[in-house]
């Protein structure tokens, strides 16, 4: 099996996922995913697509991710892994789609407007 690559995005994060045949090691930016994402609830985002289709020990995954914070990066990795799994086997699509792992969450931070301290917040209004 050759190397399969896929792209995942979330907020300001971009994750490039490279999937090869192997023993189930996941590296993110040169570290294991447990070192890179120390919180257990964030680690769950990374391994959940693999557990959904029961292939957690069949593929080695190498991820390059940059931009954004740790949660956005983890969700970008999840989308990238899900897309790579579908390139391998089209039968993985229904269970991943049922859990909404193939949907690109396009919500991003709204830009700050001039004359306001934040995007929508206003300064205190004085009638008199």
């Amino acid at each position: 099996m050759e190397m399969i690559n896929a792209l995942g995005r979330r907020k300001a994060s971009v994750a490039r996922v490279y999937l090869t045949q192997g023993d189930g090691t996941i590296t993110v930016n040169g570290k294991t995913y447990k070192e890179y994402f120390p919180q257990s609830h964030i680690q769950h985002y990374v391994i959940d697509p693999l557990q959904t289709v029961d292939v957690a020990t069949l593929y080695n995954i190498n991820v390059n991710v940059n931009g954004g914070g740790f949660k956005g990066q983890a969700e970008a990795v999840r989308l990238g892994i899900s897309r790579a799994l579908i390139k391998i086997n089209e039968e993985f699509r229904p269970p991943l789609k049922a859990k909404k792992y193939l949907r690109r969450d396009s919500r991003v931070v709204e830009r700050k407007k001039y004359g306001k301290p934040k995007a929508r917040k206003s300064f205190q209004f004085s009638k008199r």
Side-chain angles (χ1 to χ4, degrees):
M1 178 184 125
E2 73 282 354
M3 183 180 288
I4 305 288
N5 64 332
L7 192 70
R9 291 191 183 102
R10 172 75 170 101
K11 293 186 178 180
S13 303
V14 179
R16 292 184 301 279
V17 176
Y18 303 97
L19 201 125
T20 56
Q21 197 78 35
D23 59 351
T25 59
I26 302 172
T27 58
V28 181
N29 289 353
K31 300 178 182 177
T32 64
Y33 78 98
K34 291 187 178 185
E35 283 180 52
Y36 193 80
F37 299 116
Q39 296 96 340
S40 61
H41 65 284
I42 300 296
Q43 293 171 6
H44 182 68
Y45 285 121
V46 177
I47 58 171
D48 209 32
L50 298 167
Q51 291 175 341
T52 302
V53 294
D54 295 325
V55 293
T57 59
L58 296 179
Y59 302 109
N60 287 346
I61 299 172
N62 188 13
V63 182
N64 295 332
V65 63
N66 60 356
F70 59 88
K71 185 160 186 203
Q73 286 187 350
E75 292 184 11
V77 169
R78 179 177 71 185
L79 178 62
I81 290 173
S82 300
R83 286 178 171 174
L85 288 171
I86 286 179
K87 285 183 180 180
I88 289 174
N89 188 350
E90 194 64 35
E91 293 174 6
F92 293 158
R93 189 175 188 83
L96 291 171
K97 192 170 180 177
K99 287 197 169 185
K100 297 184 177 153
Y101 292 160
L102 300 176
R103 180 169 292 169
R104 199 278 201 215
D105 193 349
S106 61
R107 295 175 296 170
V108 293
V109 177
E110 189 174 344
R111 69 174 281 276
K112 182 195 175 299
K113 279 65 167 199
Y114 58 87
K116 293 192 176 267
K118 289 170 38 176
R120 296 188 180 203
K121 185 177 183 178
S122 297
F123 294 108
Q124 185 173 354
F125 178 73
S126 174
K127 193 168 188 178
R128 289 181 186 83

